[in-house]
């Protein structure tokens, strides 16, 4: 949860800040590490589908895509393919943090229990 909240906070700063400067690159690397930590750690959460293959659920596909897309987005930035970098990073921010994060607050899910108590 700490990595996800860190990625969310850094992501907001990156979205509203100046792009391409040293601060953007430094915070960008921190965001990549926080997102990678969030995605990889999600593979150890099996609450939604404990009897599924390996305890994984469909939401884990998003985590898998994040693990693949992060290095691709960094590569795009290093090659000065700004539009591809922007698309990939925005997709991970919206899909990987906002949408997936919203699903964790559904009744019966872990964050629902943390913030609102058990069902």
């Amino acid at each position: 949860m700490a990595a996800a909240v860190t990625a969310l906070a850094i992501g907001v700063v990156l979205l509203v800040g100046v792009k391409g400067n040293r601060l953007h690159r430094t915070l960008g690397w921190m965001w990549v590490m926080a997102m990678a930590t969030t995605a990889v750690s999600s593979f150890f959460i099996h609450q939604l589908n404990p009897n599924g293959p390996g305890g994984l659920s469909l939401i884990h596909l998003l985590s898998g895509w994040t693990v693949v897309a992060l290095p691709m987005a960094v590569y795009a930035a290093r090659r000065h393919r700004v539009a591809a970098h922007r698309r990939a990073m925005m997709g991970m921010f919206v899909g990987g943090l906002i949408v997936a994060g919203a699903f964790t607050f559904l009744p019966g899910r872990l964050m629902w229990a943390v913030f609102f108590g058990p069902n």
Side-chain angles (χ1 to χ4, degrees), residues 7 13 22 28 30 60 77-78 81 87 94:
V13 171
R22 183 177 297 212
M30 293 170 64
H60 287 99
R78 296 186 60 79
R81 293 176 33 222
R87 250 188 334 271
V94 172

Side-chain angles (χ1 to χ4, degrees), residues 53-80:
L56 302 178
S57 64
L58 290 176
I59 198 73
H60 287 99
L61 290 174
L62 201 55
S63 297
W65 175 247
T66 299
V67 170
V68 171
L70 277 170
M72 292 170 56
V74 170
Y75 181 79
R78 296 186 60 79
R79 295 287 174 231
H80 304 285

Side-chain angles (χ1 to χ4, degrees), residues 21-107:
N21 61 19
R22 183 177 297 212
L23 178 62
H24 179 84
R25 287 189 299 273
T26 301
L27 288 176
W29 278 113
M30 293 170 64
W31 188 82
V32 166
M33 296 307 296
M35 282 296 289
T37 301
T38 301
V40 170
S41 67
S42 77
F43 291 114
F44 298 97
I45 300 171
H46 302 185
Q47 178 187 9
L48 188 60
N49 193 17
N51 298 323
L56 302 178
S57 64
L58 290 176
I59 198 73
H60 287 99
L61 290 174
L62 201 55
S63 297
W65 175 247
T66 299
V67 170
V68 171
L70 277 170
M72 292 170 56
V74 170
Y75 181 79
R78 296 186 60 79
R79 295 287 174 231
H80 304 285
R81 293 176 33 222
V82 176
H85 174 71
R86 182 183 301 118
R87 250 188 334 271
M89 292 303 196
M90 286 296 295
M92 283 183 276
F93 182 82
V94 172
L97 284 174
I98 305 301
V99 173
F103 278 116
T104 67
F105 282 95
L106 292 174

